[in-house]
Amino acid sequence: MVFGQVVIGPPGSGKTTYCNGMSQFLSLLGRKVAVVNLDPANDALPYECAINIEDLIKLSDVMSEHSLGPNGGLVYCMDYLEKNIDWLEEKLKPFIEDHYLLFDFPGQVELFFLHSNARSVINKLIKKMDLRLTAVHLIDAHLCCDPGKYVSALLLSLSTMLHLELPHINVLSKIDLIENYGNLAFNLDFYTDVQDLSYLQYHLEQDPRSAKYRKLTKELCDVIDDFGLVNFSTLDIQDKESVGNLVKLIDKSNGYIFSSIDSSAVEFSKIAAAPLDWDYYRTAEVQEKYMKDDEFAQLTSRMQ
């Protein structure tokens, strides 16, 4: 099994910075990491790129040849990648044995809740190469300072979750900078846990831009509440503890924490129900020994 992350989010949410920081953090944990750049508009990569879509197609060439703008060009590039998925599969083969994969996707949000090309690319990789991927959806934390923008971010997150059909983690990125944009109307927990959105109604009505859409906004908030799927983790990419907590969530969502454990269904259920503070520094041998010792202790207790 090959594990990895599909990194998505609107422009400016910090996807490339995230891939750079996450690859460094995972390397410190002893994992071999391969970063795959699938954003043809990203021409300034701070990380060492294992596979670059620009070796297949360039956005600038597409725009000039087909007289397209940036958005149309990105859609064309994703369609072209989907039709030439064999190229990406061949490039990935040297890394699927022992590498953890980070896929850096474009920031055009329509690709992940409207068009099917990016989803088709991901699904083909999962089926053909047996990948275990988690979608990490980055949202700039400063959107919490504006109730209207926050509701839009919630709707985008929900639409993306339903469209991609992957294990999914929504992340408020740049959380260390949130105070620079003003005071929050509520505590941060309100925004991460996505609590009762009716409390936002008063603040929305104070904004003349959103007041006239009050009924529409209320209906959208009701849709988000009815699904009850969206919540957020927070991330400061410069803080090791913050990155470490996010890695734990991602590893639980795609099953990485179970990859080195050859156990029965009973043992698997014991681990799945264990507390969230998983110790990432124990080796596989120690984990197996712990399970055997625990099973032996339970057996002895029953015999007594």
Side-chain angles (χ1 to χ4, degrees):
M1 285 184 253
V2 186
F3 298 89
Q5 303 174 28
V6 173
V7 184
I8 57 178
S13 57
K15 297 182 297 299
T16 299
T17 302
Y18 172 88
C19 289
N20 185 32
M22 182 59 70
S23 64
Q24 294 180 38
F25 185 87
L26 293 175
S27 296
L28 290 175
L29 292 182
R31 303 187 196 179
K32 294 182 178 179
V33 182
V35 185
V36 181
N37 176 45
L38 296 181
D39 183 1
N42 195 352
D43 54 0
L45 300 175
Y47 51 76
E48 183 179 348
C49 186
I51 303 171
N52 195 338
I53 192 175
E54 286 203 338
D55 295 335
L56 175 68
I57 188 171
K58 294 181 181 291
L59 178 62
S60 57
D61 294 343
V62 169
M63 292 171 60
S64 61
E65 183 176 346
H66 298 281
S67 301
L68 294 172
N71 290 338
L74 283 171
V75 173
Y76 183 96
C77 289
M78 284 295 106
D79 285 336
Y80 190 83
L81 177 62
E82 181 186 1
K83 291 179 174 60
N84 293 272
I85 193 66
D86 293 342
W87 173 86
L88 183 56
E89 292 173 5
E90 193 66 29
K91 290 284 187 179
L92 283 171
K93 283 182 180 178
F95 303 101
I96 62 174
E97 292 296 330
D98 56 355
H99 279 71
Y100 188 97
L101 303 176
L102 294 175
F103 292 92
D104 187 1
F105 271 88
Q108 188 181 5
V109 296
E110 294 91 334
L111 295 173
F112 304 102
F113 77 88
L114 185 60
H115 297 288
S116 62
N117 42 28
R119 182 181 64 181
S120 298
V121 168
I122 296 169
N123 288 339
K124 287 178 181 179
L125 292 177
I126 290 174
K127 292 178 181 178
K128 291 187 178 181
M129 309 195 79
D130 195 24
L131 304 186
R132 301 292 189 270
L133 301 177
T134 290
V136 180
H137 188 213
L138 301 179
I139 296 291
D140 197 321
H142 89 271
L143 297 180
C144 297
C145 300
D146 185 318
K149 292 179 180 178
Y150 175 66
V151 173
S152 298
L154 290 175
L155 195 61
L156 172 62
S157 300
L158 177 60
S159 302
T160 304
M161 294 174 75
L162 297 176
H163 186 71
L164 289 183
E165 299 179 335
L166 287 175
H168 193 106
I169 295 177
N170 296 302
V171 180
L172 292 176
S173 62
K174 307 178 187 177
I175 197 66
D176 53 314
L177 303 177
I178 191 171
E179 294 181 354
N180 297 344
Y181 298 94
N183 297 325
L184 298 177
F186 304 98
N187 291 333
L188 184 60
D189 289 347
F190 175 86
Y191 299 95
T192 56
D193 298 341
V194 190
Q195 300 171 13
D196 190 351
L197 295 180
S198 63
Y199 289 105
L200 284 176
Q201 291 299 315
Y202 170 78
H203 297 278
L204 287 167
E205 291 171 2
Q206 303 309 303
D207 186 346
R209 294 172 299 176
S210 57
K212 62 179 180 179
Y213 301 113
R214 182 171 56 254
K215 291 184 179 179
L216 174 61
T217 304
K218 183 181 182 304
E219 294 299 325
L220 293 176
C221 289
D222 289 343
V223 169
I224 295 167
D225 282 333
D226 289 344
F227 272 96
L229 293 175
V230 184
N231 58 21
F232 291 98
S233 299
T234 58
L235 174 66
D236 174 5
I237 197 64
Q238 302 294 334
D239 183 6
K240 290 187 291 185
E241 183 178 356
S242 177
V243 179
N245 289 335
L246 182 58
V247 169
K248 291 181 182 182
L249 289 176
I250 295 170
D251 286 353
K252 288 182 179 68
S253 67
N254 61 22
Y256 182 88
I257 62 174
F258 307 114
S259 61
S260 60
I261 301 175
D262 183 13
S263 57
S264 65
V266 175
E267 290 169 336
F268 181 88
S269 64
K270 289 179 186 176
I271 300 170
L276 293 179
D277 55 343
W278 182 269
D279 187 353
Y280 278 70
Y281 297 98
R282 287 187 297 179
T283 62
E285 291 78 14
V286 173
Q287 292 171 5
E288 292 173 1
K289 180 180 184 301
Y290 175 81
M291 289 189 295
K292 291 177 181 178
D293 290 346
D294 184 55
E295 192 175 47
F296 178 78
Q298 292 181 17
L299 179 60
T300 304
S301 176
R302 290 197 295 268
M303 291 176 65
Q304 293 175 346

